[in-house]
Amino acid sequence: MRISSILAQRQTFSFEIFPPRGDLPIEQAMTIAGQMAEQHPDWISVTFSAGGSGNSAATGAIAAQIQREAHTNALAHLTCLGSTRTDVDSFVSELETNGVENVLALRGDRAPGREALDFAHANELIAHLKNMAPNLCVGAACYPEGHVEAPSLAADIEQIKAKQDSGADFLVTQLFFDNELFYRFREACVRARIKIPIVVGIMPFTSTKQIQRMAFTCGASIPAAVIKRLIAAGDDAGSQARAGIEYACEQLRDLAANGVDGLHIYSMNKPSVARATHDALVECGYLGRI
Ligand code: FAD
C-alpha cells in the first residue's frame, strides 16, 4: 500500500532497518524484519548505503521480501549522488516488479568519489521518480534542526518546500532529542506552506559514545536531560542503553500527545527496541491494542 494513503487515514507507526554487512545480509535482515513485523508497523523502511558501510545492493531485495514474506509495506531508501538516471530507473523497476510502492528519495552524504552525476539534490531525484513512475509514493528527508550543510534553518526549509513542489508525498525527520525543536520546526513548515505529512523519526540512544557520534554526523543537539541520564547511568553499558530506551519512550509519548502525523523508529536492527517503543505507544493510547 502507498504510505501516503495510510497517512491520509491515520497516525502511523513504523520502523527502520539497515542491510547488515557480511555474507548473509538478506537472511539476517529478514529475521530482524520478521520480528519487527510482529508489532504490526504500518511500514518498515530499508536504508541505502552508497558509502561502503553496508550493502546498497541488498536494499531492493530486502524491501521486496518485507513486502512479500513479512506481509508489511516496505519503504526502500534511495540515494542519488554518484548515480545515473539509468541506475535509478533499474532500481525502481525492480521495486515495481516486486510490488514495492514506496521510496524515500535522498541525496546521500557527500564523500570523495561520490560526485553528482545526473542528480545534485534530492528534489531532482523526486521530480525524476514522479515523472518515470507516477504511481510510486515518494518520501523525502527533513531536518528539524536544519541540515548540517544548510546556512540556516530557514534556507533549509525552503529546500524542503522545493521537495514538496517536486512531488514528494511525505517527509520523514532526522532524529532529534529535544521535542521542542520539532514543534518549532513544524510551525515553521506551516508558515512555509509545507502541507505534506511529516513523520517524526526517533532514535533511542544506546551509549554515550553513540550519541556523541550522532551529534557530530547529523548535527542533533544533546539536551541537558539526556546528559544527566547518561551521567546517572555511569560506565555500565546496559544502564546507558536502558536510559536511551526510556528517554525515547518519553519523547514518543510527548509527540503522541501533540498530534504528530506519524512516528518512525530508528530501531537499529534491534527487535527489542521495536517492542519497547511499540509497548510505550500502546500504553499511552497512540496505538490500539491488538
Ligand atoms: P538534499 O535535499 O539534497 O539536501 C542536502 C543539502 O542541500 C541541504 O543542506 C539542503 O538545504 C541543500 N539543498 C537541497 N536542495 C537544494 C537545491 N535544489 N539547491 C541548493 N541546495 C539544496 N543517507 C544514506 O546514505 N542512506 C540512507 O538510507 C539514508 N536515510 C535517511 C533517512 C532520513 C529520514 C534522513 C533524514 C536522512 C537519511 N540519510 C541517508 C542521510 C542523507 O542522505 C543526508 O542527510 C544527506 O546529506 C542529505 O540528503 P537529502 O536527501 O536531505 O539532501
Side-chain angles (χ1 to χ4, degrees):
M1 191 172 180
R2 289 163 54 88
I3 287 172
S4 53
S5 306
I6 309 173
L7 282 162
Q9 290 167 20
R10 58 173 183 270
Q11 293 173 297
T12 59
F13 176 62
S14 52
F15 299 125
E16 176 186 279
I17 65 169
F18 49 84
R21 295 163 220 189
D23 293 335
L24 292 173
I26 296 188
E27 286 79 357
Q28 279 177 14
M30 280 315 296
T31 305
I32 293 162
Q35 289 171 356
M36 290 187 178
E38 289 169 14
Q39 315 305 324
H40 303 284
D42 289 299
W43 72 85
I44 296 177
S45 73
V46 188
T47 65
F48 188 95
S49 174
S53 63
N55 187 346
S56 63
T59 300
I62 294 170
Q65 288 205 27
I66 287 174
Q67 194 78 41
R68 202 172 48 237
E69 290 172 23
H71 307 292
T72 302
N73 297 301
L75 169 63
H77 293 204
L78 171 63
T79 67
C80 62
L81 276 189
S83 293
T84 60
R85 277 193 195 87
T86 312
D87 298 330
V88 166
D89 293 357
S90 69
F91 181 82
V92 170
S93 66
E94 191 191 322
L95 292 181
E96 289 191 313
T97 305
N98 288 305
V100 177
E101 296 172 280
N102 305 289
V103 167
L104 191 70
L106 301 148
R107 184 196 70 179
D109 284 326
R110 292 190 198 283
R114 206 184 313 147
E115 279 75 40
L117 298 175
D118 284 338
F119 308 97
H121 283 288
N123 68 303
E124 296 168 19
L125 175 63
I126 294 163
H128 176 69
L129 291 172
K130 283 291 177 181
N131 190 36
M132 69 153 310
N135 292 328
L136 200 65
C137 176
V138 179
C142 66
Y143 303 84
E145 300 185 60
H147 182 262
V148 282
E149 291 167 26
S152 66
L153 180 57
D156 201 34
I157 287 175
E158 277 177 36
Q159 301 302 350
I160 299 170
K161 175 72 166 46
K163 296 186 195 191
Q164 174 181 276
D165 295 346
S166 300
D169 295 296
F170 67 98
L171 298 165
V172 184
T173 74
Q174 181 59 280
L175 61 91
F176 55 86
F177 299 103
D178 180 347
N179 287 0
E180 290 308 318
L181 296 174
F182 171 71
Y183 299 136
R184 266 180 252 158
F185 168 75
R186 185 168 62 172
E187 284 165 18
C189 286
V190 171
R191 285 195 297 276
R193 286 170 288 111
I194 293 167
K195 297 184 173 146
I196 51 178
I198 305 176
V199 174
V200 173
I202 292 294
M203 178 183 278
F205 59 83
T206 54
S207 68
T208 307
K209 263 204 182 124
Q210 182 246 12
I211 200 172
Q212 283 168 341
R213 202 173 53 242
M214 296 315 303
F216 271 87
T217 49
C218 63
S221 35
I222 307 180
V226 169
I227 294 169
K228 284 180 188 163
R229 279 167 204 239
L230 281 166
I231 289 171
D235 291 337
D236 180 59
S239 304
Q240 290 183 8
R242 272 193 299 282
I245 295 278
E246 277 167 26
Y247 188 81
C249 289
E250 281 171 32
Q251 269 193 289
L252 290 168
R253 282 190 284 264
D254 179 70
L255 289 159
N258 279 280
V260 290
D261 296 319
L263 293 170
H264 185 63
I265 313 299
Y266 297 115
S267 33
M268 298 163 294
N269 287 8
K270 290 188 167 68
S272 59
V273 167
R275 265 194 305 279
T277 51
H278 169 269
D279 292 353
L281 289 171
V282 169
E283 210 174 282
C284 74
Y286 179 85
L287 292 175
R289 286 172 203 278
I290 295 167

